[in-house]
Amino acid sequence: LQVYKGLDIITNKVSPQEQRLCRHHMISFVDPLVSNYTVVDFRDKAVALISYIFARDKIPIVVGGTNYYIESLLWKVLIDTKEKAGKAPGSVTDRKVELEQLDSVQLHRCLSQVDPEMAAKLHPHDKRKVARSLQVFEETGIPHSEILRQQQEEEGGGPLGGPLKYPHSCILWLHADQAALDQRLEKRVDDMLAAGLLEELRDFHQRYNREKVAENRQDYQHGIFQSIGFKEFHEYLISEGNCSPETSALLLEKGIQALKQVTKRYARRQNKWVRNRFLKRPGPNVPPVYGLEVSDLLRWEEDVLKPALEIVESFIQGREPPAEPVRMEYDVNENKRSHRMCELCNRLIIGDREWAAHTRSKSHLHHLKKRRKLEAASCAAETEWDSGDAGKTSGEESSLSLL
C-alpha cells in the first residue's frame, strides 16, 4: 500500500530523512483513486527496477511488508491475464470486482463447475481468491489449477511456483517474542497518533472518501482504502462534527483500539505466512531463511545488525554464512486441503493444521462448553422425569394391590 500517494503515517512509510540516506523505490507513485493496481503491476515495475539496480552493480533489498508481493518477485507464480486477454488496462481488475459482488455460494459453485480442483482448495467464503480463479479461467480458457501445475512442473519449480528468479537470494526474517511485539505495535500506534495520524485521516477522508460515503459507495476492500487503520476510523470520521464531543471521543477511542488490535493480528499473519510458506515448504527453489531475534532492542547491534551484515557479506562473496538458516519440522502426512465441517460453530475448516487450531480456539471451546451444559441439563431433566415416573408407577401398583 506504500505505492499509493497519501496516508504516509498509516502505511508506515519510511521518512524523507531516511530516504535521503539510501535510495528507495516503489513509494508514493500511484494515485490514491486508482483501485485496480494489482500485484502483477507491482511485479512488472519492481522486476525492471531490480534489473536496473543489478546493472549498476548494486544489491537490491526488498523490504516487506506483504509477503505475497515478495513471492511474486522470487518465483514465477503470477498469471498476467491482462496481456492474455488483450484488454485495456483496468478492465480485467474491474471484472474481478464484478465477480466479488456475487453471492459467495454462487461464486464458489461457478468455480466448482470450471475448475473443481481449485474450488476444493479454496474456502467458499474467500471471495477474492475464488473470484480471481474464475477470472483466470474466463480470460485464458485454462483452469487456474492447471496453470499453477504447469509452473510448478517447470525445471527448478516447486510447491511455491515456478523456478526461483534470483537463485542467489536469501531471506532475513526479523522476529520477536509475541509479548514484546504486541507491546511494540501498541506503542507504534501511539507514536502514529502523536505524529499527526488523525489530521492525516481527516484530510484524506475529506479529499477522497467523503463523497463516496455520501453516495454509499465507499469501498474498504480495494486500493489504498483497504489500508489497516483507515476503515477502523470510519465511524469517527463520518460522525465528527455531527455528534456530541462525548460520543466523538468514544468513537475515537474505539478506532484507536481497533487499529491496535488489527495491527497485532496482521503481524501474526505475517509470521504465520513465513513459517508456512518459506519454512514448511521443502524444495531447492526456496531461498534460505535466516532468523534475527529483535525482542530486545538494546541488543540490536549484537542480535540483528552484526549477524545480518555477516550473512549478506557471505552471500556477496560466495561463501557459506556463519549463521545457520532456520529449519522447521513439518509433517509429510499433513493434508493442507482436507475439508471438515464444524457443526458446533457452523464453519468449514480447510487443512489439518487449521482444524487443529480451530478445535483449540476460544470460540470453538465456548460452543463446546455451551453444548455440554445443555446436554447435562437435558440429562438431568430426563433423570428427574424417570424418577418421577417410577414413583408414580410404584404408587399405582400399591393402589392396585390394596384393591
Side-chain angles (χ1 to χ4, degrees):
L1 293 172
Q2 294 184 357
V3 300
Y4 293 95
K5 298 174 185 174
L7 292 184
D8 292 3
I9 298 174
I10 205 73
T11 58
N12 200 35
K13 288 178 184 171
V14 63
S15 68
Q17 293 81 6
E18 289 176 304
Q19 289 195 43
R20 284 195 287 271
L21 296 174
C22 176
R23 178 79 181 274
H24 285 67
H25 304 270
M26 305 291 286
I27 296 177
S28 298
F29 65 93
V30 179
D31 188 279
L33 290 178
V34 171
S35 62
N36 59 3
Y37 188 85
T38 69
V39 65
V40 173
D41 298 315
F42 172 87
R43 178 206 61 190
D44 292 346
K45 185 173 179 64
V47 165
L49 278 167
I50 290 171
S51 298
Y52 168 68
I53 293 168
F54 275 136
R56 293 186 294 119
D57 289 329
K58 302 289 185 181
I59 305 295
I61 303 172
V62 180
V63 183
T66 308
N67 294 317
Y68 177 54
Y69 279 63
I70 294 175
E71 284 193 13
S72 75
L73 303 180
L74 288 173
W75 294 279
K76 180 180 178 181
V77 293
L78 300 180
I79 301 161
D80 192 350
T81 51
K82 288 183 181 180
E83 180 183 337
K84 294 186 178 183
K87 297 182 179 180
S91 60
V92 169
T93 305
D94 291 342
R95 175 55 184 155
K96 179 172 175 286
V97 174
E98 287 176 9
L99 289 168
E100 289 176 11
Q101 306 310 309
L102 299 176
D103 174 74
S104 58
V105 175
Q106 178 188 356
L107 199 62
H108 195 263
R109 188 183 300 120
C110 290
L111 182 61
S112 299
Q113 293 171 353
V114 299
D115 191 351
E117 183 179 339
M118 184 58 73
K121 294 179 180 179
L122 300 177
H123 197 287
H125 293 161
D126 195 343
K127 273 192 172 185
R128 281 194 167 194
K129 290 184 179 178
V130 174
R132 172 57 179 163
S133 290
L134 268 175
Q135 178 196 10
V136 168
F137 177 77
E138 285 184 4
E139 291 162 5
T140 65
I142 305 171
H144 194 182
S145 59
E146 177 59 29
I147 296 176
L148 295 179
R149 187 184 301 109
Q150 290 173 5
Q151 289 180 348
Q152 293 168 3
E153 289 175 353
E154 288 182 27
E155 185 178 354
L160 286 173
L164 192 62
K165 293 179 187 175
Y166 308 103
H168 302 295
S169 55
C170 71
I171 297 172
L172 302 179
W173 176 35
L174 278 63
H175 59 89
D177 172 77
Q178 196 61 57
L181 180 59
D182 286 348
Q183 185 179 21
R184 198 173 299 162
L185 291 172
E186 292 214 5
K187 184 181 182 302
R188 189 173 88 177
V189 172
D190 294 334
D191 291 343
M192 290 161 69
L193 288 163
L197 174 63
L198 294 182
E199 291 76 11
E200 176 181 271
L201 291 173
R202 287 192 195 99
D203 177 67
F204 192 86
H205 177 72
Q206 290 170 4
R207 293 170 64 188
Y208 301 109
N209 201 45
R210 186 165 56 181
E211 187 178 330
K212 291 174 180 284
V213 171
E215 297 173 359
N216 197 29
R217 56 183 182 88
Q218 71 270 12
D219 178 10
Y220 295 122
Q221 302 299 320
H222 299 92
I224 195 172
F225 296 93
Q226 64 186 306
S227 299
I228 289 176
F230 186 57
K231 55 183 172 294
E232 281 71 25
F233 287 91
H234 172 82
E235 289 183 81
Y236 170 73
L237 292 170
I238 64 172
S239 64
E240 195 175 25
N242 300 317
C243 62
S244 67
E246 294 77 14
T247 301
S248 184
L250 286 172
L251 291 174
L252 173 58
E253 183 59 26
K254 181 181 176 182
I256 293 171
Q257 293 307 316
L259 173 55
K260 290 182 176 181
Q261 201 64 34
V262 75
T263 301
K264 289 186 283 188
R265 194 181 306 134
Y266 182 67
R268 283 175 169 81
R269 284 207 308 269
Q270 286 180 309
N271 281 325
K272 183 180 177 182
W273 184 292
V274 172
R275 292 187 183 97
N276 292 342
R277 302 282 292 179
F278 295 158
L279 299 178
K280 293 188 177 181
R281 294 291 184 95
N285 69 335
V286 180
V289 179
Y290 296 91
L292 299 170
E293 174 66 48
V294 295
S295 297
D296 185 357
L297 294 182
L298 295 177
R299 291 185 53 82
W300 177 267
E301 295 279 340
E302 304 97 309
D303 294 348
V304 185
L305 183 58
K306 185 180 176 182
L309 288 173
E310 289 176 347
I311 292 167
V312 173
E313 285 173 357
S314 298
F315 266 82
I316 293 173
Q317 296 168 7
R319 56 184 172 84
E320 283 294 316
E324 283 290 319
V326 180
R327 304 191 189 281
M328 192 167 283
E329 294 293 327
Y330 61 93
D331 184 358
V332 293
N333 297 316
E334 179 189 346
N335 185 352
K336 299 183 190 305
R337 300 304 178 188
S338 62
H339 284 59
R340 292 183 179 90
M341 187 69 192
C342 180
E343 304 295 342
L344 274 178
C345 307
N346 193 29
R347 283 186 58 192
L348 174 65
I349 310 297
I350 298 179
D352 290 351
R353 191 183 303 120
E354 286 72 14
W355 174 254
H358 174 72
T359 56
R360 295 191 300 266
S361 67
K362 287 184 179 179
S363 60
H364 178 80
L365 293 175
H366 169 74
H367 284 104
L368 187 61
K369 185 178 179 182
K370 189 175 177 182
R371 186 178 73 174
R372 284 173 177 168
K373 279 186 177 180
L374 289 172
E375 288 176 348
S378 175
C379 184
E382 286 180 10
T383 303
E384 185 179 340
W385 185 87
D386 289 343
S387 176
D389 190 52
K392 180 181 176 183
T393 304
S394 176
E396 288 174 350
E397 288 175 350
S398 299
S399 300
L400 287 171
S401 63
L402 286 170
L403 290 171

